Amino acid sequence: MSKILKTNALESEAIYIFREVVAQFENPVLLFSGGKDSITLVRLAQKAFYPGKIPFPLLHVDTGHNFPETIEFRDKLVEELGLNLIVRHVQDAIDEGKVTEETGKYSSRNMLQTTTLLDAIEEFKFDACIGGARRDEEKARAKERIFSVRDDFGQWDEKNQRPELFDLLNGKIEIGQNVRVFPISNWTELDVWSYIEQEQIEIPSIYFSHKRKTFVRDGLIWSASKYVYREENEEVLERIVRFRTVGDMTCTAAVESEADTIARIVSEIKTSTISERGARIDDKRSEAAMEKRKQQGYF
Amino acid sequence: MEVLKIATAGSVDDGKSTLIGRLLYDTKSLTDDKLEAIERNSKKKGYDYLDFSLATDGLVAEREQGITIDVAHIYFSTKKKSYIIADTPGHVEYTRNMVTGASQAQASIILIDARKGVIEQTYRHFFINNLLRVKHVIVAVNKMDLVNYDQQVFEDIKADFEKLNSQSSYEEQEVTFIPISALKGDNVAQKTDAMSWYTGDSVLDFLETLKPEQEELTAARFPVQTVVRPKKDEFHDYRGYAGKIYGNSLKVGDAITVLPSLTSSKIKSIEFFDEQYDEAVAGSSVTITLENDINVTRGDILVKSDEVPHSAKTLTASVCWMDGKALVPGAKYEIQHNTNRVLAKIDSIENVISTDYSGEDASATQLTLNEIGKVNFKLSKNLFYDNYADNKAGGSFILIDTQSNTTAGVGFIG
Ligand SMILES: Nc1nc2c(ncn2[C@@H]2O[C@H](COP(=O)(O)OP(=O)(O)O)[C@@H](O)[C@H]2O)c(=O)[nH]1
């Protein structure tokens, strides 16, 4: 009997995009946050170039407020796959006086990442930055292209985007410009989890149900940590939680969950009625928050 | 899971956003926080119903102007399929967005306001679906609640539309008519009692019957994206050609010809990650190795040796122009055809095609933004290509402005 490859349309599309990046750019980089989306990207890149190695480095912009589990996981993955990891720290930009630490109730280093990212792009002359953003995450992202051209200041001109027809991706740019690339643009949160399940991809432990010291503000569950501002009347309790998205501690809220395996997570998401970004504290600032941040060069 | 890509088209206020919002709502794809945002915004605007259009209108500028100005992608799924909707705006000046949306789509929904019937915009929408050869077109006659769910209104619109259809150059296109009320949800996800005279499927039920993988299959084309050469001892002589298969499947042992060098070989292996396969179908991103050690680089195309397309240093194509700077004879652009790029000069513009089926193609000296015209090109070197009508992948290309680098237009060969 002959063995016929059954394609997964989304996987195939992502692999196609990775290969276009490597063919069209001289110096691409994969932006690695340690979250499930960037871990999925690493697996897809591995498949795209097998039996060769992933032909570009990973860049982690470290806010210094990460969950320790994420960093441990990152280092193990890099070691196992023999990847080249570059880390740049938001703390350095703060120390150099390029950016000022936010203070107060909603203070976060999430916005400050942009400066560190743009500096790293300039330092290494990256011409393509591959990221794990998905169009289903947020309304402004729904309009994002697969190859999204940014100017010297990392700015996104959403009114002047290149049309993308068929599979024809145009990555031609001027010196100083770079392109943000989104191979899993068309995936939904459930698609990512189903893929992680199918491929048995390892992910950091904080995605699974665990006990954590937390407090509640604005209906969201926040981690109690020295990095997260907390008012005296905000009571810390131990709760059984997990994270649906993993970013900086100051902008990632937990959800109460008993899901301790990927299969359970998948069935939880199938029945869930809160969107993933509903747990992103940064988006709550205003409805147009994401679009404004993107225009300023945010990922 | 199967993925079906859909494009939508309709004039302003025909109810496109409401229809999409309704589909999301009825398939339980709207999460609580999104639903709350919709309720909040609907109330803020003083509506006494839920304005589902708020689920889709993304950019700040759009919310301010209350119109959709770019292609937005919307996702929902049923037990059977994942759906991706490219929501494209209906204004004349945004033809480019509609063409973009349709280029990705296996099915397309054209909305008509039951009170207005077939209007000039409808002609344009259908024309684009014709030109791009979108296989399934659903004509959704919306706002049936405002015409008392009157069958005659629906039948009249259908008859009008069929007159258009008879002028279509794409005979295999399947056009399906469905009377709906997007606002009330009639025939969107569920059949309605309000129109018992209608015996067909609801919009969603119809979409569920479509088989995306059964796109009409054409000659196999394998444009090489990149060459995989692992720097590892055990793969010392390994040369894998990475790409995506279009058209019919490829099998190990197939006799192939490499374009443009016209050297031939046989497929030695078809690989996907660490597995080898005997056969792979359209849409698969695979790595292929060949029996002989011949020179193959990015931009080359592997085809079956008995299916070699024609080659020429000139070509004629219908071009949809997408740039503010007009296309004029003598100008040079880079053509991106599959993974290959060649320099091209605009030889002449035959005409601007009337997109309203009036049949009056005007002669022209230039092609401006959102116009579609027949254009003759001279190429800097020989190109192997198909006619778009025979082979979508081999018959389409984009035009890249060599100064601004922008994607200035798209061409359909033939
Ligand atoms: N009565 C009625 N009103 C509708 C229907 N569909 C849409 N509308 C209304 O028509 C207006 C325009 O709808 P919208 O979805 O924003 O149109 P778009 O511009 O095509 O996206 C809104 O006020 C809708 O509430 C329908 O089936 N029946």
Side-chain angles (χ1 to χ4, degrees):
Chain A
M1 225 192 75
S2 72
K3 189 172 160 195
I4 302 174
L5 172 65
K6 285 208 180 63
T7 33
N8 168 338
L10 293 173
E11 180 186 53
S12 201
E13 178 180 83
I15 290 174
Y16 173 86
I17 295 164
F18 268 113
R19 290 166 167 179
E20 281 305 289
V21 172
V22 164
Q24 294 198 35
F25 298 93
E26 287 177 12
N27 206 5
V29 66
L30 192 154
L31 302 185
F32 187 81
S33 69
K36 64 173 195 310
D37 295 324
S38 54
I39 294 166
T40 300
L41 285 182
V42 170
R43 165 58 60 100
L44 291 163
Q46 213 188 339
K47 289 196 171 188
F49 304 105
Y50 189 87
K53 272 195 187 178
I54 296 178
F56 40 76
L58 271 48
L59 171 67
H60 183 211
V61 175
D62 186 344
T63 60
H65 293 174
N66 292 293
F67 296 95
E69 294 91 334
T70 323
I71 302 294
E72 248 169 64
F73 182 90
R74 175 196 76 189
D75 294 340
K76 206 176 94 195
L77 184 76
V78 163
E79 170 86 36
E80 275 172 14
L81 298 182
L83 304 174
N84 172 9
L85 173 73
I86 299 166
V87 183
R88 285 295 173 270
H89 301 272
V90 170
Q91 188 64 49
D92 293 342
I94 295 171
D95 294 346
E96 288 162 26
K98 285 182 178 163
V99 293
T100 323
E101 183 104 73
E102 295 180 2
T103 52
K105 194 167 173 183
Y106 292 95
S107 60
S108 164
R109 285 185 171 182
N110 196 40
M111 285 288 290
L112 307 185
Q113 286 182 76
T114 305
T115 303
T116 309
L117 171 64
L118 297 183
D119 284 353
I121 291 173
E122 203 170 306
E123 178 187 350
F124 293 96
K125 307 247 175 315
F126 292 128
D127 51 4
C129 303
I130 305 158
R134 306 189 319 268
R135 287 174 181 152
D136 83 318
E137 282 177 87
E138 212 274 337
K139 280 194 287 185
R141 293 233 203 252
K143 313 249 154 159
E144 183 66 271
R145 298 297 192 261
I146 289 179
F147 275 13
S148 177
V149 181
R150 305 299 168 97
D151 65 12
D152 293 22
F153 301 95
Q155 295 183 98
W156 182 52
D157 180 1
E158 85 287 352
K159 289 194 193 62
N160 209 358
Q161 299 198 78
R162 291 179 185 172
E164 289 181 340
L165 296 120
F166 303 99
D167 282 346
L168 299 164
L169 296 170
N170 170 8
K172 286 197 80 168
I173 47 170
E174 298 280 329
I175 293 182
Q177 288 182 323
N178 63 78
V179 169
R180 305 283 168 91
V181 181
F182 305 106
I184 56 168
S185 266
N186 282 327
W187 298 41
T188 61
E189 183 187 17
L190 183 59
D191 291 326
V192 173
W193 282 111
S194 306
Y195 190 69
I196 289 171
E197 184 182 26
Q198 172 203 314
E199 296 286 314
Q200 304 185 338
I201 300 172
E202 262 191 77
I203 50 168
S205 55
I206 55 171
Y207 280 110
F208 299 103
S209 176
H210 59 279
K211 274 193 196 145
R212 182 174 289 269
K213 289 203 167 68
T214 55
F215 65 94
V216 173
R217 177 193 300 160
D218 304 340
L220 298 175
I221 303 173
W222 301 55
S223 289
S225 148
K226 63 177 176 194
Y227 302 130
V228 183
Y229 178 92
R230 182 168 53 85
E231 300 200 322
E232 267 170 44
N233 61 353
E234 293 175 321
E235 188 193 358
V236 175
L237 278 180
E238 200 165 69
R239 292 183 173 82
I240 309 280
V241 297
R242 64 176 205 87
F243 291 90
R244 285 176 72 177
T245 133
V246 169
D248 182 276
M249 247 191 236
T250 57
C251 69
T252 312
V255 290
E256 284 190 278
S257 168
E258 303 273 344
D260 54 358
T261 62
I262 301 212
R264 286 207 181 119
I265 292 175
V266 170
S267 65
E268 187 185 280
I269 287 164
K270 278 187 182 154
T271 54
S272 163
T273 52
I274 298 196
S275 71
E276 183 180 59
R277 282 231 156 234
R280 286 300 287 254
I281 292 152
D282 42 341
D283 288 347
K284 296 260 155 163
R285 289 183 179 187
S286 95
E287 201 185 334
M290 172 64 91
E291 191 176 337
K292 290 217 181 81
R293 270 182 288 140
K294 281 174 71 91
Q295 283 165 351
Q296 288 156 9
Y298 180 77
F299 206 68
Chain B
M1 181 111 100
E2 270 180 11
V3 177
L4 188 80
K5 294 189 177 176
I6 308 166
T8 54
S11 304
V12 192
D13 287 344
D14 281 353
K16 202 153 46 75
S17 309
T18 309
L19 172 66
I20 295 170
R22 190 80 217 188
L23 278 170
L24 295 177
Y25 180 69
D26 286 344
T27 54
K28 308 217 163 14
S29 311
L30 283 177
T31 49
D32 281 355
D33 48 331
K34 281 191 186 146
L35 203 54
E36 265 166 36
I38 290 170
E39 280 166 4
R40 211 170 37 241
N41 278 314
S42 300
K43 210 176 279 166
K44 206 161 79 186
K45 295 209 164 131
Y47 299 153
D48 56 359
Y49 54 89
L50 287 185
D51 185 356
F52 288 118
S53 66
L54 295 168
T56 59
D57 284 356
L59 299 175
V60 173
E62 291 174 355
R63 277 196 296 280
E64 283 164 358
Q65 297 172 32
I67 52 162
T68 315
I69 53 171
D70 196 344
V71 183
H73 297 84
I74 297 123
Y75 301 83
F76 70 94
S77 56
T78 60
K79 286 204 174 66
K80 265 197 184 151
K81 265 196 211 108
S82 290
Y83 292 92
I84 304 177
I85 300 183
D87 179 21
T88 59
H91 316 261
V92 196
E93 64 265 39
Y94 297 120
T95 299
R96 73 171 210 164
N97 295 334
M98 239 178 307
V99 170
T100 303
S103 78
Q104 312 273 357
Q106 291 128 349
S108 137
I109 302 176
I110 298 179
L111 263 126
I112 295 181
D113 185 330
R115 297 168 306 174
K116 296 185 195 149
V118 173
I119 55 170
E120 202 193 326
Q121 284 291 348
T122 317
Y123 287 70
R124 291 217 165 78
H125 299 150
F126 189 56
F127 181 86
I128 288 169
N129 280 289
N130 255 217
L131 177 71
L132 274 89
R133 303 177 75 84
V134 178
K135 178 84 183 181
H136 304 279
V137 174
I138 298 166
V139 179
V141 179
N142 188 31
K143 307 199 184 182
M144 287 301 291
D145 56 306
L146 296 180
V147 297
N148 297 318
Y149 298 109
D150 184 353
Q151 178 174 11
Q152 199 52 47
V153 172
F154 175 71
E155 297 296 343
D156 288 347
I157 291 173
K158 189 171 159 183
D160 274 354
F161 200 97
E162 290 202 313
K163 274 184 231 146
L164 279 188
N165 199 7
S166 64
Q167 299 179 47
S168 151
S169 56
Y170 177 26
E171 279 174 18
E172 302 81 25
Q173 193 161 43
E174 287 167 15
V175 183
T176 307
F177 297 86
I178 307 179
I180 66 166
S181 166
L183 194 68
K184 306 264 158 78
D186 296 316
N187 288 341
V188 176
Q190 270 104 33
K191 286 287 299 274
T192 175
D193 295 335
M195 291 176 274
S196 50
W197 46 265
Y198 172 74
T199 53
D201 287 328
S202 69
V203 172
L204 186 62
D205 287 342
F206 181 74
L207 292 172
E208 294 275 84
T209 64
L210 300 181
K211 294 255 176 276
E213 76 276 20
Q214 282 176 6
E215 278 273 286
E216 55 238 271
L217 290 178
T218 50
R221 300 286 179 252
F222 187 78
V224 175
Q225 292 185 269
T226 182
V227 182
V228 177
R229 300 206 63 176
K231 294 179 192 78
K232 297 176 188 165
D233 280 348
E234 73 258 45
F235 292 106
H236 192 75
D237 292 321
Y238 183 96
R239 287 177 72 91
Y241 306 111
K244 185 168 156 186
I245 301 175
Y246 298 89
N248 283 313
S249 61
L250 288 175
K251 295 186 187 69
V252 170
D254 280 346
I256 58 98
T257 297
V258 181
L259 308 176
S261 67
L262 290 173
T263 45
S264 41
S265 185
K266 270 192 177 152
I267 295 181
K268 183 174 162 196
S269 69
I270 298 176
E271 305 172 4
F272 181 69
F273 194 33
D274 50 1
E275 295 270 344
Q276 306 227 349
Y277 295 85
D278 298 314
E279 182 178 349
V281 299
S284 316
S285 284
V286 293
T287 302
I288 288 179
T289 66
L290 300 178
E291 295 282 0
N292 316 58
D293 189 14
I294 51 180
N295 188 27
V296 180
T297 57
R298 172 175 170 86
D300 290 356
I301 312 176
L302 309 188
V303 300
K304 288 194 191 167
S305 296
D306 53 2
E307 293 175 341
V308 176
H310 52 268
S311 82
K313 266 188 100 169
T314 58
L315 64 81
T316 301
S318 300
V319 169
C320 172
W321 198 243
M322 304 183 151
D323 199 24
K325 194 174 88 189
L327 176 88
V328 292
K332 285 186 184 135
Y333 286 89
E334 209 166 5
I335 279 187
Q336 183 172 333
H337 174 251
N338 293 311
T339 57
N340 187 16
R341 287 191 185 143
V342 293
L343 211 55
K345 191 165 135 183
I346 311 302
D347 194 30
S348 63
I349 300 170
E350 283 181 25
N351 56 31
V352 173
I353 300 167
S354 62
T355 54
D356 57 3
Y357 293 97
S358 63
E360 289 162 28
D361 298 342
S363 66
T365 51
Q366 60 170 25
L367 214 53
T368 59
L369 179 65
N370 290 306
E371 280 184 335
I372 299 175
K374 249 307 180 261
V375 179
N376 296 311
F377 295 86
K378 273 188 181 152
L379 309 176
S380 61
K381 52 184 187 208
N382 240 24
L383 190 73
F384 286 84
Y385 57 80
D386 295 289
N387 281 328
Y388 185 75
D390 302 330
N391 195 309
K392 281 190 182 181
S396 54
F397 60 84
I398 52 171
L399 289 158
I400 300 174
D401 185 307
T402 51
Q403 269 164 354
S404 69
N405 291 328
T406 192
T407 302
V410 59
F412 310 94
I413 302 173

